[in-house]
């Protein structure tokens, strides 16, 4: 199949292009090369193989999309503004890039009769992950409270009895509960995509990425993830600064496994029923804490020990880790890069 990949010159998109080619598909790379994301656009452009057609345009440009979608069988939508979105001043930028961009893309796909979509979503749509109370069973913690966080009480209590909770693995049937601007835009993207699928009898796989790391990860920009931030601090001879108490549980998944999931998802859309929309968690299935990540990177780079700061961001969640059972059972995907191997590759200078 011929696949248009938006955000193709980015961290994840460039790996998706490679995985599509390795699987015998044809890729068309589409990226605006916005300066905030690509401070060295030529270097980003060089991530795309020379024999792959490249279109430099914004997903909010319907004319450019209309031309690019000619002869395309499917779309892999990676283009997005990422990060938390710290306050409502960020909302117009996030909604413009993520939600308006997705809406323009979906409208163009409908006009071009392109029926298959893999959408890059995120685990942030869940808000907090799964929690169980010894007395009340499965519960949903309320919003985090500044007074608790400032006092170092980072673990969410049971909303019924106030007792400590046990975090678990969240599955795709969990309620969507976005708790920051970025999360709200990713949830909206999913709603837009499922509406498109029903209206056009297309099919969409929504891939809820957990914490992605690996080669080409952005560094020293507002879009750098926690692994890249820690690595940059260590390479500068500074200790990684860990927020809260370092006990936040996450699922760190290698970018090559993310790319493989996109290929599997696109192939699934060719077999799915008309109008199908299906969410899939994409994670390693092995939870780790942020403190453990910082310590492992410090050890691998021979840098100073992490410093636990007690700082917090209200839009963060405490624990969210993935059950990847649906992806494994329905799409035949398996994570192929172990944490140890992925970390060893990640610390090697680019």
């Amino acid at each position: 199949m011929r696949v248009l990949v938006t955000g193709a010159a980015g961290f994840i998109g460039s790996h998706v292009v490679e995985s599509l080619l390795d699987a015998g598909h044809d890729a068309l790379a589409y990226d605006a090369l916005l300066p905030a994301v690509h401070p060295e656009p030529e270097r980003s452009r060089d991530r795309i193989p020379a024999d792959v057609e490249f279109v430099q345009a914004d997903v909010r440009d319907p004319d450019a999309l209309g031309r690019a979608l000619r002869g395309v069988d499917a779309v892999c939508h990676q283009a997005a503004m990422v990060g938390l979105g710290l306050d409502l001043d960020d909302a117009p930028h996030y909604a413009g890039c993520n939600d308006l961009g997705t809406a323009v893309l979906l409208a163009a796909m409908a006009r071009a009769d392109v029926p298959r979509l893999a959408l890059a979503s995120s685990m942030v749509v869940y808000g907090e992950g799964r929690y169980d109370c010894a007395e009340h069973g499965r519960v949903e913690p309320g919003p985090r409270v500044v007074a608790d966080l400032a006092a170092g009480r980072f673990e969410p209590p049971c909303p019924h009895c106030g007792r400590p909770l046990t975090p678990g693995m969240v599955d795709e049937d969990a309620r969507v509960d976005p708790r920051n601007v970025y999360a709200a835009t990713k949830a909206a993207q999913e709603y837009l995509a499922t509406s498109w699928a029903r209206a056009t009898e297309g099919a969409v796989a929504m891939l809820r990425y957990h914490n992605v790391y690996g080669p080409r990860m952005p560094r020293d920009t507002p879009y750098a993830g926690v692994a890249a931030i820690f690595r940059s601090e260590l390479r500068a001879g500074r200790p990684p600064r860990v927020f809260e108490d370092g006990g936040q549980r996450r699922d760190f998944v290698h970018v090559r496994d993310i790319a493989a999931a996109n290929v599997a998802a696109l192939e699934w859309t060719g077999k799915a029923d008309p109008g199908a929309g299906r969410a899939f968690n994409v994670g390693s299935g092995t939870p780790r804490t942020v403190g453990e990540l910082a310590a492992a990177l410090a050890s691998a780079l021979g840098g100073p020990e992490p410093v636990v700061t007690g700082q917090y961001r209200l839009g963060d969640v405490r624990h969210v880790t993935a059950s990847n059972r649906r992806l494994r059972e329905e799409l035949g995907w398996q994570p192929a890069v172990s944490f140890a191997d992925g970390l060893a590759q990640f610390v090697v200078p680019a």
Side-chain angles (χ1 to χ4, degrees):
M1 62 181 160
R2 180 166 172 80
V3 182
L4 185 148
V5 181
T6 71
F11 166 43
I12 296 173
S14 60
H15 286 278
V16 170
V17 170
E18 290 177 355
S19 289
L20 284 167
L21 298 177
D22 289 344
H25 301 297
D26 184 19
L28 169 59
Y30 191 105
D31 201 300
L33 296 177
L34 298 176
V37 186
H38 301 281
E40 300 177 278
E42 288 304 315
R43 185 174 181 180
S44 297
R45 171 65 180 83
D46 288 344
R47 294 170 174 173
I48 305 301
D51 58 347
V52 171
E53 183 181 355
F54 184 89
V55 176
Q56 184 173 345
D58 198 297
V59 291
R60 292 166 291 188
D61 182 340
D63 294 332
L65 277 172
R67 293 189 292 271
L69 286 167
R70 293 171 188 160
V72 163
D73 302 300
V75 171
C76 186
H77 185 30
Q78 305 295 319
M81 185 175 179
V82 300
L84 285 182
L86 297 180
D87 55 46
L88 288 179
D89 285 341
D90 295 325
H93 304 292
Y94 278 82
C97 288
N98 297 353
D99 298 337
L100 176 60
T102 299
V104 174
L105 172 64
L106 294 171
M109 290 176 64
R111 288 192 297 271
D113 196 25
V114 177
R116 301 163 62 180
L117 173 66
L119 173 69
S121 187
S122 172
M123 53 86 174
V124 296
V125 300
Y126 295 119
E128 291 284 353
R130 171 182 168 177
Y131 291 89
D132 293 286
C133 173
E135 180 178 352
H136 296 99
R138 183 79 57 85
V139 297
E140 295 183 0
R144 304 183 91 183
V145 178
V146 170
D148 287 341
L149 298 173
R153 295 189 294 269
F154 301 119
E155 294 290 344
C158 175
H160 306 294
C161 65
R163 294 177 181 175
L165 298 173
T166 301
M169 307 285 272
V170 66
D171 62 31
E172 294 87 351
D173 293 327
R175 184 171 68 92
V176 171
D177 183 23
R179 298 196 177 189
N180 57 58
V181 168
Y182 171 62
T185 67
K186 298 309 286 185
Q189 283 184 302
E190 291 196 7
Y191 291 131
L192 287 166
T194 52
S195 296
W196 162 84
R198 286 191 292 268
T200 64
E201 296 191 338
V204 56
M206 296 163 289
L207 300 174
R208 292 173 176 169
Y209 300 163
H210 284 249
N211 289 69
V212 189
Y213 74 100
R216 306 173 202 155
M217 191 173 191
R219 64 180 190 274
D220 307 323
T221 80
Y223 304 97
V226 66
I229 292 169
F230 289 164
R231 182 181 62 181
S232 292
E233 290 176 334
L234 286 160
R235 285 181 176 166
R238 298 187 297 267
R241 295 175 59 80
V242 180
F243 279 20
E244 301 186 16
D245 60 0
Q248 312 93 301
R249 286 160 51 101
R250 298 291 188 268
D251 186 314
F252 297 97
V253 57
H254 197 272
V255 67
R256 288 207 300 272
D257 287 331
I258 292 283
N262 274 275
V263 175
L266 285 166
E267 291 171 348
W268 171 86
T269 61
K271 308 168 190 173
D273 293 334
R278 191 84 164 138
F280 298 92
N281 286 333
V282 192
S284 71
T286 304
R288 287 180 173 83
T289 69
V290 174
E292 288 171 344
L293 172 69
L297 284 169
S299 176
L301 287 165
E305 291 294 312
V307 172
V308 177
T309 68
Q311 292 175 274
Y312 62 87
R313 297 181 298 186
L314 190 59
D316 278 338
V317 297
R318 179 61 176 174
H319 304 297
V320 57
T321 55
S323 167
N324 60 21
R325 180 176 177 179
R326 179 181 291 181
L327 186 62
R328 289 186 288 106
E329 292 184 351
E330 296 186 14
L331 272 62
W333 172 93
Q334 292 284 345
V337 183
S338 71
F339 184 71
D341 289 346
L343 208 64
Q345 298 166 18
F346 185 64
V347 298
V348 175

